Amino acid sequence: MAEPETEILEITANEDTVLHRVVDFNAKYYKQKTDEKICDRIKRYAKKYSSINNMKSCLFSNVPIIRNLRKYNLRKYLVSDILSGITVGIMQIPQGMAFGLLTTLPPICGMYTAFFGPLTYFFFGSSRHLSVGAVAVVSLMMASVIDVAMQENNLYVIKANSTNTSTDETINTRKIEIATSVSFVSGLIMILLGKLKFGLISTYMSEQLVSGFTAAVAIHITTSQAKHIFGISVPQHNGIFKVIKTWRDVCYNIPSTNFATLITTVICFIILYLVKVQINMRFKAKLKMPIPIELIIISIATVIAHFAKFHQRFNINILKDIPAGLPSPVLPNPVLATGYVADAFIIGIVAFTHSVSGARLLARKHNYEIDPNQELVASGAGSVVCSIFSGYINAGSLSRTMVLDGTNGKSQIACLVGCVIVIIMILAIGPLFYSLPKCVLSAVIIINLRTMYLQILEVPSLWRTSKFDFVIWMVTFLTSSILDVDIGIASSLIFSLLTVSLRTQSPSSYRLGFVGKTNQLKSVERYDPVVAPDNVRIVQFQAPIYFANADIFVKSVVKLTGIDPVKARKKQKQFNQVETNISPTDVTENCGLALQESKISEKFVDGVEIVILDFSGVNFIDIVGIKALKRVYTDYNSIGIQVYIASCNDTVTSMMTSTEFMKDYVETVYLTVNCILTHKKLRSGLQV
């Protein structure tokens, strides 16, 4: 058995010494595509997708809960999921009400989202641990859309001029119609994007962009709750400089602060901070489940406010009527969202990014994979279902997800148990919160912004590690907080993509040589000792070559080789003009001039005969890049220097072939730099 292996190795070695050029190598080893008739292709696809296995795979991918339940260990996981679900469900109640209030909708709408969102995700989500429902970021963005729509219809003016209860009900009904229509359209867009495999769209929102955006959103949320915290009346502002205008009015109305409201808010905030941060977080390892301080606070506050008559005695704003039971399903009218399709798309993408980031975090921790495309579908389906039942766009909550994981939740069964807790609240307990002060819910909202504000502390370290990421964070934060959230997310996304273009327009490029006596090619500036043949320049370009940086590529080659073909030709021409004025008497005219030009050419190119372009760092090239490459060939060949290319990937090689570059320069494209040096007999004899 040993002899055939030796023979094969010898043959391979012999072939490798011959097949230096890419065209020769591909001719022998590249798989040729066979033309397939359309009828045969249709039959093959029909057979593939009509099989039982494919149908099962399609069902499992669209409804992941089926696959997860088949692998579910009832005895091992059920108890943990029940306890975890109860914990998350208890968290959903105060947060759902608080974030519902944040949207300027009736707080019960947040509860509907906290029920129908997780219920829908249970069937369509691919994460086992993600807890979805109402979240602060989406609630604020939804509030912005509602406020704009209300002001366009002058409904806030009508409300300000009326004290009639029926007017408030009419306005709330109109708000729900707007929110549900926007959520419905957003959901349909997300489902369509998911089916079109656009799940990777979240990758365009970098971690720094999301961090800067959420930190800015925290400022907007705090601003929106200022009127509830101080118990004052503040005019509604929208559009650019909303935060600045609102705080200007808050400062103007500070003298009319309701101190009973402010004291209630401060007491609730202190208690929430002490328990959530100093107890739940500090003793997380020792507690079987976190203390549900948010639910405890709103329950106690409701009881005290009711018996102490906070509303009548201290004029503290309370929730008042909270309907019991589930709303009747109503299909939203998409026409109402006609002017807000862009907002629906942006909010949907932000909600999806919020969800998929948490889902990926837990998937990595527990060693399983999620499907971003299915997450888009699940996010959209949840928004559609919530909109039918007077809810709004749902998203994953990282804080609730971490609590679910921390209490040993194993699957979406935990979230289903949480839905049971929420539905009990909606059906039976909701009306009991009639006397709950709104300032208490504001305290719940503000304490949940803690992690968002802590992201600001990471900015100095971001400056030290990456200037580009620091600038992205700052641009996102400033535009989103000073201008508006929708303007901020759009402009920061454009700016983030622009930085990618700028990075490729200022790529890394090096002149290479062999480190010591090894075969490792490294930068001559960064390593020592580095050697290369005197008559060879090896240049590595680490970026795609396309329309935005084609000229930079040409300039990099000139800089790294130390030879400018244009200047060399110009100097040679000037030198030849001087020499031709001297009559050669000792040599034959033609031979003397030819010999003279040859020596002058060597003088102006420093004896360089070969330039090798290492394309191992070039992942693609476009037509403009090909033209730039031809320009390099033409310029250097005109002064007697040969240009070679090495280490092209298949994408670059295919582009060279389709543009007929390979046809013109087939003899100059090799597999590796070593192949060129070996073929030209330049590798041997290199000494340190």
Side-chain angles (χ1 to χ4, degrees), residues 481-500:
S481 57
I482 296 176
L483 299 179
D484 204 356
V485 287
D486 52 352
I487 298 174
I489 192 67
S491 59
S492 58
L493 184 57
I494 294 172
F495 179 80
S496 180
L497 295 176
L498 181 62
T499 61
V500 175

Side-chain angles (χ1 to χ4, degrees), residues 130 193 206 255 297 309 328 389 484 498-499 502 518 559 595:
L130 185 66
L193 290 177
S206 66
I297 280 289
K309 298 181 179 180
S328 301
F389 291 94
D484 204 356
L498 181 62
T499 61
L502 290 174
T518 69
K559 179 181 177 181
L595 180 63

Side-chain angles (χ1 to χ4, degrees), residues 58 192 210 266 371 378 397 452 469 542 563 611-612 630 678:
C58 183
L192 178 62
V210 174
V266 171
D371 181 0
S397 167
M452 294 185 180
D469 290 336
Q542 295 187 338
I563 300 165
V611 170
I612 300 174
K630 287 182 178 180
T678 303

Side-chain angles (χ1 to χ4, degrees), residues 532-554:
D534 293 334
N535 61 338
V536 177
R537 294 288 187 271
I538 306 172
V539 175
Q540 185 182 67
F541 193 76
Q542 295 187 338
I545 304 174
Y546 66 116
F547 66 92
N549 68 355
D551 288 336
I552 296 173
F553 163 70
V554 175

Side-chain angles (χ1 to χ4, degrees), residues 36-69:
E36 185 180 16
K37 294 181 179 179
I38 296 178
C39 294
D40 295 335
R41 187 178 299 180
I42 292 174
K43 289 179 181 179
R44 181 164 57 84
Y45 280 115
K47 183 178 179 180
K48 176 182 177 181
Y49 290 106
S50 62
S51 64
I52 298 298
N53 289 335
N54 185 74
M55 289 181 178
K56 288 173 62 178
S57 176
C58 183
L59 179 63
F60 291 161
S61 62
N62 284 281
V63 191
I65 189 60
I66 298 175
R67 180 188 287 114
N68 294 336
L69 288 179

Side-chain angles (χ1 to χ4, degrees), residues 110-122:
M111 296 301 300
Y112 297 150
T113 304
F115 173 70
F116 289 104
L119 185 63
T120 307
Y121 190 86
F122 173 80

Side-chain angles (χ1 to χ4, degrees), residues 162 456 513:
S162 175
I456 299 175

Side-chain angles (χ1 to χ4, degrees), residues 1-248:
M1 296 296 291
E3 293 181 0
E5 291 182 4
T6 305
E7 185 178 353
I8 291 172
L9 288 173
E10 288 176 357
I11 292 172
T12 305
N14 290 333
E15 289 180 349
D16 285 345
T17 59
V18 175
L19 302 177
H20 293 301
R21 298 182 309 168
V22 169
V23 64
D24 298 327
F25 185 86
N26 286 353
K28 188 168 185 65
Y29 295 114
Y30 195 78
K31 290 183 179 180
Q32 299 297 326
K33 294 182 179 180
T34 56
D35 293 332
E36 185 180 16
K37 294 181 179 179
I38 296 178
C39 294
D40 295 335
R41 187 178 299 180
I42 292 174
K43 289 179 181 179
R44 181 164 57 84
Y45 280 115
K47 183 178 179 180
K48 176 182 177 181
Y49 290 106
S50 62
S51 64
I52 298 298
N53 289 335
N54 185 74
M55 289 181 178
K56 288 173 62 178
S57 176
C58 183
L59 179 63
F60 291 161
S61 62
N62 284 281
V63 191
I65 189 60
I66 298 175
R67 180 188 287 114
N68 294 336
L69 288 179
R70 293 178 66 187
K71 299 178 181 179
Y72 190 76
N73 190 325
L74 195 65
R75 294 182 179 179
K76 188 176 181 181
Y77 298 150
L78 185 60
V79 175
S80 296
D81 278 342
I82 290 175
L83 294 176
S84 180
I86 293 172
T87 305
V88 172
I90 290 173
M91 288 183 67
Q92 287 271 28
I93 294 172
Q95 290 185 9
M97 296 174 66
F99 296 144
L101 179 68
L102 181 59
T103 61
T104 71
L105 296 170
I108 194 64
C109 292
M111 296 301 300
Y112 297 150
T113 304
F115 173 70
F116 289 104
L119 185 63
T120 307
Y121 190 86
F122 173 80
F123 294 100
F124 299 107
S126 62
S127 172
R128 302 173 196 166
H129 298 84
L130 185 66
S131 173
V132 302
V135 297
V137 176
V138 175
S139 299
L140 177 76
M141 297 181 75
M142 184 60 69
S144 179
V145 175
I146 293 171
D147 288 340
V148 170
M150 296 294 285
Q151 287 189 348
E152 287 178 353
N153 294 313
N154 295 321
L155 291 178
Y156 279 138
V157 176
I158 296 173
K159 180 179 179 180
N161 296 331
S162 175
T163 57
N164 195 345
T165 306
S166 61
T167 304
D168 291 339
E169 293 178 357
T170 302
I171 294 215
N172 284 336
T173 301
R174 185 61 176 176
K175 285 182 177 181
I176 292 173
E177 289 175 351
I178 295 167
T180 54
S181 62
V182 171
S183 300
F184 184 74
V185 171
S186 176
L188 293 179
I189 294 173
M190 294 304 106
I191 292 173
L192 178 62
L193 290 177
K195 291 303 179 182
L196 294 176
K197 309 298 182 184
F198 275 85
L200 292 178
I201 196 171
S202 63
T203 58
Y204 292 100
M205 300 182 71
S206 66
E207 182 179 340
Q208 289 71 35
L209 187 149
V210 174
S211 174
F213 177 70
T214 52
V217 166
I219 292 177
H220 278 275
I221 293 173
T222 304
T223 302
S224 69
Q225 297 306 301
K227 60 183 179 182
H228 297 304
I229 293 171
F230 292 101
I232 57 179
S233 178
V234 177
Q236 193 71 31
H237 295 288
N238 284 297
I240 60 174
F241 307 123
K242 177 172 68 176
V243 169
I244 297 173
K245 292 176 182 178
T246 302
W247 279 111
R248 178 199 63 193

